[in-house]
Amino acid sequence: LFEQILAKNGITVSYVDAKDELELKAALRPTTRGLFIETPTNPTMKIADLRACVKFAKHHGLISIVDNTFMTPYYQRPLDLGADIVLHSATKYLGGHNDVLAGLVAVQTDELANRIFFLQNSIGATLGPSDCWLLLRGMKTLALRMEKHQENALLVAQFLAQHRLVTGVYYPGLPEHPLRAVQESQATGYGGMVSFEMCDERLIAPILSNLHVVTFAESLGGVESLITYPARQTHADIPEEVRIANGVTNRLLRLSVGVEYAQDIIDDLANAFECAEGRN
């Protein structure tokens, strides 16, 4: 949908691996105006080097735009690393309670701020008072929640990494994550999102139907633990060959680890795995 909206306005998008400068250069066109970066990526938790990306953007006269939804300003501050624009789906961690729809834009300069304000004022894309109140309420506890999200996420990731039915765990806080050092160079934490791959696609449905503490739902960043099946939900519109080539396989699950008692989350997953294995 995002691409379709841009296309109607004469804007095209090229998808590249932000870790690969050669790919970035190959994607440049005379009409290129911006470099949009998401790190960690959703849902495979790949890490881009923000400093390198910002440097590349500046060298080529591009606006650097960073989606910082997963990390929040509590753990990662792209503006301090030179990014021009930082975006947040404030519906997620900033709101924190799955009860508000909002977006947030932070910018580096007054000039960018004035341009964005003009568009907001012209289009009317602003929040109502109640939504603002809910968002402000959630942000008051952001630090407390992010600390607990991360604490639980690491415990859950460690459990998953040792489970016989799990073939891959994607969480930058694990020592085996290939770009953990990059994450630690640009952020002060790892966040609360964990993705993992099961050994068999046939396990997915029974796992999702046997969870009781974790809720099967698309959103993320709330106090409740939520699990999503990207191949059939958030990334279902992507052609299968493209999706799988980028790591979003039919065996991948994405878990937004909540602030519940960590052992309850782990026990819930363990029970669902056991039920799924018994049915297969």
Side-chain angles (χ1 to χ4, degrees):
L1 179 60
F2 178 63
E3 277 191 75
Q4 292 171 2
I5 294 171
L6 292 177
K8 288 181 179 178
N9 290 277
I11 301 171
T12 58
V13 178
S14 297
Y15 294 96
V16 298
D17 185 346
K19 303 189 305 299
D20 190 332
E21 187 171 349
L22 292 177
E23 273 199 44
L24 290 173
K25 287 181 178 179
L28 283 174
R29 301 289 183 271
T31 53
T32 302
R33 295 293 179 266
L35 176 60
F36 189 102
I37 311 148
E38 180 184 45
T39 183
T41 60
N42 177 22
T44 52
M45 304 302 291
K46 295 176 182 177
I47 309 299
D49 186 329
L50 285 174
R51 291 184 180 87
C53 288
V54 167
K55 181 179 179 181
F56 177 89
K58 290 186 184 302
H59 179 74
H60 294 281
L62 310 177
I63 293 176
S64 53
I65 308 161
V66 181
D67 185 331
N68 199 39
T69 298
F70 273 18
M71 285 291 100
T72 81
Y74 184 71
Y75 281 133
Q76 184 168 268
R77 300 184 179 184
L79 291 180
D80 291 346
L81 302 178
D84 295 307
I85 299 175
V86 176
L87 308 178
H88 296 269
S89 174
T91 304
K92 312 301 193 301
Y93 284 112
L94 297 187
H97 293 80
N98 295 318
D99 58 5
V100 62
L101 293 175
L104 187 146
V105 182
V107 298
Q108 189 72 252
T109 66
D110 289 341
E111 189 269 336
L112 279 172
N114 289 333
R115 288 168 64 184
I116 292 172
F117 173 76
F118 175 81
L119 292 172
Q120 283 190 300
N121 189 52
S122 302
I123 299 170
T126 56
L127 293 179
S130 179
D131 293 323
C132 290
W133 182 84
L134 287 169
L135 184 55
L136 288 169
R137 175 215 57 186
M139 291 175 69
K140 289 177 182 178
T141 60
L142 179 64
L144 294 172
R145 289 185 287 105
M146 292 308 297
E147 290 283 356
K148 188 61 176 177
H149 284 304
Q150 177 169 277
E151 177 187 327
N152 284 354
L154 180 57
L155 292 171
V156 169
Q158 290 170 341
F159 158 76
L160 291 168
Q162 297 170 2
H163 201 283
R164 66 186 182 282
L165 298 181
V166 177
T167 57
V169 181
Y170 310 107
Y171 182 65
L174 290 176
E176 57 266 33
H177 193 288
L179 292 171
R180 178 176 174 174
V182 175
Q183 176 71 10
E184 292 177 342
S185 75
Q186 62 193 22
T188 57
Y190 314 104
M193 299 299 301
V194 179
S195 292
F196 59 97
E197 278 191 304
M198 302 304 299
C199 64
D200 192 327
E201 180 183 345
R202 293 172 297 176
L203 295 169
I204 299 295
I207 286 173
L208 296 175
S209 62
N210 281 284
L211 290 167
H212 302 290
V213 175
V214 180
T215 300
F216 177 32
E218 282 197 23
S219 193
L220 63 96
V223 291
E224 304 91 354
S225 291
L226 303 177
I227 195 165
T228 295
Y229 185 27
R232 296 291 178 267
Q233 293 179 292
T234 55
H235 293 64
D237 291 338
I238 300 173
E240 185 174 22
E241 64 277 9
V242 176
R243 175 170 53 74
I244 292 175
N246 284 278
V248 187
T249 71
N250 295 331
R251 297 181 289 112
L252 185 75
L253 290 168
R254 189 197 72 188
L255 180 61
S256 173
V257 183
V259 301
E260 304 94 342
Y261 178 51
Q263 194 59 48
D264 286 345
I265 303 171
I266 292 170
D267 289 346
D268 194 36
L269 289 167
N271 178 69
F273 290 173
E274 185 176 338
C275 292
E277 189 175 27
R279 290 176 56 178
N280 286 274

